[in-house]
Amino acid sequence: MPYLLISTQIRLEAGPTIVGDEHSDPHLMSILGATKRTTLGNNFSEYYVNDAPRVVLDKLESLGYRVVSMTGVGQTLVWCLHRE
């Protein structure tokens, strides 16, 4: 799985950070210390970590991921990463 999206709400830029969806690599999610949960009203699960996005980006860089792009969507910040 070479591509990864992470995101956070602008008002929560100190964490938590969403690091994957229900189909993400369980091993990578374990390395990041992520827990899987389903938010009330959603019919899908997401992996969360309590770390700030900067901390998550540092961890992912050490695992070979590089930021491809970053954007703001409404009140959400989203980073797209890729690993060769």
Side-chain angles (χ1 to χ4, degrees):
M1 217 180 260
Y3 284 96
L4 181 66
L5 290 176
I6 69 167
S7 65
T8 192
Q9 298 293 311
I10 290 173
R11 67 184 192 289
L12 301 174
E13 54 199 14
T17 304
I18 301 170
V19 294
D21 61 26
E22 59 195 1
H23 304 293
S24 295
D25 177 10
H27 179 67
L28 176 60
M29 296 298 110
S30 174
I31 292 171
L32 294 175
T35 56
K36 190 179 193 182
R37 62 183 173 189
T38 303
T39 304
L40 184 64
N42 289 346
N43 62 352
F44 57 90
S45 299
E46 296 172 308
Y47 282 95
Y48 286 81
V49 294
N50 287 325
D51 298 329
R54 179 192 57 78
V55 174
V56 175
L57 290 167
D58 287 346
K59 287 179 182 179
L60 290 168
E61 181 181 33
S62 71
L63 296 171
Y65 284 89
R66 300 289 177 258
V67 174
V68 175
S69 64
M70 186 272 178
T71 190
V73 181
Q75 295 294 309
T76 303
L77 301 172
V78 181
W79 292 263
C80 178
L81 296 95
H82 184 267
R83 184 181 68 198
E84 293 293 328

